[in-house]
Amino acid sequence: MPDASVHQPILAAEDDIHDVLVIGGGVNGCGIAMDAAGRGLKVLLCEQDDLASATSSRSSKLIHGGLRYLEFYQFRLVGKALAERETLLRNAPHIIRPMRFRLPHQPHLRPAWMIRIGLFLYDHLARRETLPGSRGLRFTADSPLRPQIVRGFEYSDAWVDDARLVVLTAQAAARHGAQILTRTGCIAAQRADGLWHVTLENRQTGQRSQHRSRALVNAAGPWVDQVLASVVETAVRRPLRLVKGSHIVVPRLHPGEESYILQNTDNRIVFVIPYEDEFSLIGTTDVDYQGNPAAASISAQETDYLLRVVNAHFRQQLSRNDIVWSYAGVRALFDDANGKAQAASRDYALDVDTRPGQAPLLSVLGGKITTYRRLAEQATDQLCELLHSPARAWTAGSVLPGGDFQDRDTLLADLYKLYPWLPDSLARRFARTYGTLTHELLQGCHGMDDLGRHFGADLYAQEVRYLIQQEWALDAEDVLWRRTKLGLHIKGNAVAALQDFMDIRSKWRKV
């Protein structure tokens, strides 16, 4: 039987009072933790599972303004996101890269003049510093599209490794003094004596601990309502709408580095994005969702929908047998439930619950990856005002860990010079995954033998050790699907061997 003592709360020290306690280790929670810690606030973040284990790792992997949102007159959101696109390209050049998007023209869906107007707005709603503008296209005989599709348009956006964006943001928070607790749920929070009294529970050991904080942030994503109702035990003032988006991954559909944005008769769009060199990522859907967000998965109807849209545009025809991986994520949108799911706003709102003489509660409603930094900045501005802390915003001009290099070619040249023994494929993956953090990962290594045990693909023990020590990785899924995407290549017994290795090396884990 388990030791009953593990359920006895550990009381925080009398002087151990945090300024901000954040519930939720997705992109918004980590963004707020980073910003607040960088302003000198004492921050603790708890996440019930792994960092980016839900919505923030199940996106379309795009930093974009949202071209389709213009049809719903969401000009403010699009302009805000386009401005952030430029900022994030500077802040995280190792995991965010420019990408061109091709829009095949289907005259029966949208006239060319309407698309031109939309692209003109997209080019000019915010200042473009680095990305080229839109242009018209003629598809030739070597196009991967069906021969009847001869005309289209091209514009700029950016691609992001979404899960790594979260992890690097958490790293930045920790480097500014924030305490990051993964696999730790918040099970109770009450106001008393001008503070929040919070009970946390380690989901692996069952150990509970008590913490006090001057402010509480509810950044639980699709669990925001649940946290309010069952943890904080307060009224849900603005109910959220849960919308599921699903994706499939197939062998590479086209050789170029550009993405395609496909129109459909239901006014939705589907992206086809080059993914992990050998694959194409296809998505997303927009379906209202009920139930546990952690259990979300793609349905047969969604799968058929994505295949049907792609097959209507590409010469190469796909079937279910071509799908090598699929995933689904649930977004919490603060729009009402009356319209279509795809029309619900992707903008965010910050709901602040303040009461005289009592500690404030800030809940994050909605949002998208592209605007996470700006959301965090505005949330921290409000927290600083409530806590009477005058520190100014700082994240717009700060690079995330590993992003301090001139350009990708220079970074790769440095890696080749310092580690001439490193295979080209591994050097390139390290560059686009870790940036200059590669030097920390390879510290003490002078040849391939120093990388230790090989688990398949190009995963070695040295990288696993780094991920355990520096990136809160606890199991094989953390390594293979969130810190990297090597789960596309490493299967079966190799996964079990990796898990056994990580279990034995639990002493490496962050405390």
Side-chain angles (χ1 to χ4, degrees):
M1 294 181 63
D3 185 353
S5 65
V6 299
H7 295 294
Q8 297 301 315
I10 298 176
L11 298 178
E14 190 64 30
D15 61 345
D16 188 21
I17 298 175
H18 292 89
D19 294 309
V20 179
L21 192 150
V22 181
I23 302 171
V27 70
N28 291 329
C30 289
I32 293 171
M34 174 183 71
D35 198 325
R39 299 198 207 191
L41 299 179
K42 186 174 183 179
V43 178
L44 184 151
L45 179 144
C46 66
E47 160 57 44
Q48 64 180 349
D49 202 326
D50 182 30
L51 297 172
S53 57
T55 309
S56 293
S57 63
R58 301 175 188 179
S59 74
S60 297
K61 325 296 184 191
L62 298 179
I63 298 295
H64 65 142
L67 180 62
R68 69 188 179 98
Y69 303 150
L70 293 176
E71 286 193 315
F72 303 116
Y73 307 107
Q74 297 181 24
F75 302 114
R76 176 178 172 273
L77 169 62
V78 174
K80 182 167 55 179
L82 289 173
E84 278 300 291
R85 184 184 62 182
E86 295 284 346
T87 300
L88 296 183
L89 280 165
R90 294 191 302 268
N91 288 1
H94 44 330
I95 59 167
I96 300 177
R97 65 175 183 268
M99 182 172 282
R100 293 292 278 178
F101 288 75
R102 292 184 172 178
L103 172 62
H105 182 223
Q106 301 276 34
H108 65 288
L109 297 179
R110 292 173 179 86
W113 64 263
M114 180 183 293
I115 296 175
R116 287 196 198 97
I117 290 174
L119 290 174
F120 177 84
L121 289 172
Y122 206 69
D123 283 342
H124 295 92
L125 277 173
R127 180 181 177 185
R128 281 183 295 108
E129 300 177 15
T130 58
L131 299 177
S134 59
R135 66 186 182 103
L137 288 176
R138 290 285 178 179
F139 295 113
T140 58
D142 61 352
S143 166
L145 300 175
R146 286 191 162 194
Q148 63 266 34
I149 302 175
V150 297
R151 187 180 181 186
F153 302 87
E154 188 177 80
Y155 67 94
S156 293
D157 263 324
W159 179 92
V160 63
D161 187 329
D162 52 5
R164 289 212 56 76
L165 178 65
V166 177
V167 171
L168 294 176
T169 302
Q171 274 191 321
R175 292 183 178 193
H176 283 95
Q179 184 179 2
I180 309 294
L181 300 179
T182 63
R183 267 74 173 194
T184 301
C186 180
I187 61 174
Q190 296 91 25
R191 288 177 167 112
D193 305 321
L195 298 172
W196 281 102
H197 294 250
V198 180
T199 302
L200 303 182
E201 181 179 77
N202 185 300
R203 294 295 173 88
Q204 293 183 306
T205 67
Q207 181 69 61
R208 293 180 178 178
S209 57
Q210 299 286 350
H211 303 267
R212 293 175 298 167
S213 180
R214 298 169 63 203
L216 184 67
V217 172
N218 177 9
W223 289 273
V224 163
D225 282 2
Q226 181 179 324
V227 168
L228 290 173
S230 61
V231 176
V232 182
E233 297 182 351
T234 189
V236 177
R237 305 197 298 183
R238 301 181 67 176
L240 296 177
R241 178 177 185 173
L242 299 184
V243 174
K244 181 178 68 167
S246 298
H247 297 76
I248 58 176
V249 175
V250 300
R252 189 71 170 260
L253 268 175
H254 64 283
E257 290 304 311
E258 67 279 351
S259 291
Y260 287 82
I261 174 173
L262 311 179
Q263 305 172 80
N264 196 33
T265 54
D266 60 3
N267 291 325
R268 297 180 185 175
I269 56 93
V270 170
F271 290 105
V272 179
I273 304 168
Y275 191 62
E276 295 296 313
D277 297 330
E278 301 173 23
F279 305 95
S280 291
L281 173 65
I282 300 170
T284 182
T285 59
D286 283 300
V287 181
D288 284 311
Y289 182 80
Q290 294 180 337
N292 181 3
S297 61
I298 191 171
S299 68
Q301 292 80 5
E302 289 175 292
T303 300
D304 291 341
Y305 172 83
L306 294 175
L307 291 174
R308 185 168 60 251
V309 173
V310 172
N311 287 338
H313 288 81
F314 279 81
R315 297 174 189 262
Q316 182 178 333
Q317 298 292 283
L318 298 174
S319 70
R320 290 191 182 190
N321 292 333
D322 294 305
I323 298 172
V324 298
W325 183 43
S326 65
Y327 63 88
V330 176
R331 290 162 287 186
L333 308 178
F334 68 89
D335 210 342
D336 62 56
N338 296 324
K340 293 182 179 180
Q342 65 264 31
S345 175
R346 268 57 176 178
D347 208 347
Y348 60 83
L350 303 174
D351 184 44
V352 180
D353 179 3
T354 58
R355 306 174 188 180
Q358 295 191 5
L361 166 66
L362 186 150
S363 295
V364 178
L365 311 177
K368 59 203 295 282
I369 283 180
T370 305
T371 53
Y372 96 98
R373 190 209 62 83
R374 182 163 177 168
L375 180 155
E377 183 175 273
Q378 293 179 355
T380 309
D381 284 345
Q382 294 195 38
L383 291 169
C384 286
E385 182 178 351
L386 292 165
L387 299 177
H388 307 292
S389 175
R392 294 183 179 181
W394 62 279
T395 58
S398 177
V399 296
L400 289 178
D404 52 337
F405 55 89
Q406 180 179 341
D407 55 57
R408 289 173 179 267
D409 290 340
T410 302
L411 173 63
L412 266 175
D414 288 343
L415 295 183
Y416 292 144
K417 180 179 179 180
L418 292 171
Y419 315 104
W421 45 269
L422 205 60
D424 180 70
S425 62
L426 192 53
R428 290 182 177 276
R429 184 173 72 80
F430 282 173
R432 71 172 188 258
T433 304
Y434 304 103
T436 56
L437 293 175
T438 303
H439 304 309
E440 295 184 20
L441 189 160
L442 294 176
Q443 187 173 5
C445 295
H446 304 285
M448 290 299 295
D449 289 345
D450 293 327
L451 295 183
R453 182 175 176 178
H454 182 217
F455 294 99
D458 58 11
L459 181 66
Y460 293 85
Q462 180 72 12
E463 183 176 2
V464 177
R465 178 171 184 162
Y466 173 83
L467 294 174
I468 293 173
Q469 290 182 328
Q470 301 299 326
E471 295 195 2
W472 298 276
L474 294 183
D475 61 30
E477 182 177 336
D478 299 350
V479 170
L480 296 178
W481 291 111
R482 286 182 286 276
R483 306 311 185 276
T484 74
K485 292 298 181 289
L486 293 175
L488 290 166
H489 306 283
I490 297 177
K491 309 285 185 181
N493 292 336
V495 176
L498 172 61
Q499 186 61 61
D500 290 343
F501 176 84
M502 295 184 71
D503 288 341
I504 294 171
R505 269 69 179 182
S506 60
K507 63 184 179 180
W508 291 343
R509 296 173 184 171
K510 285 191 172 188
V511 179

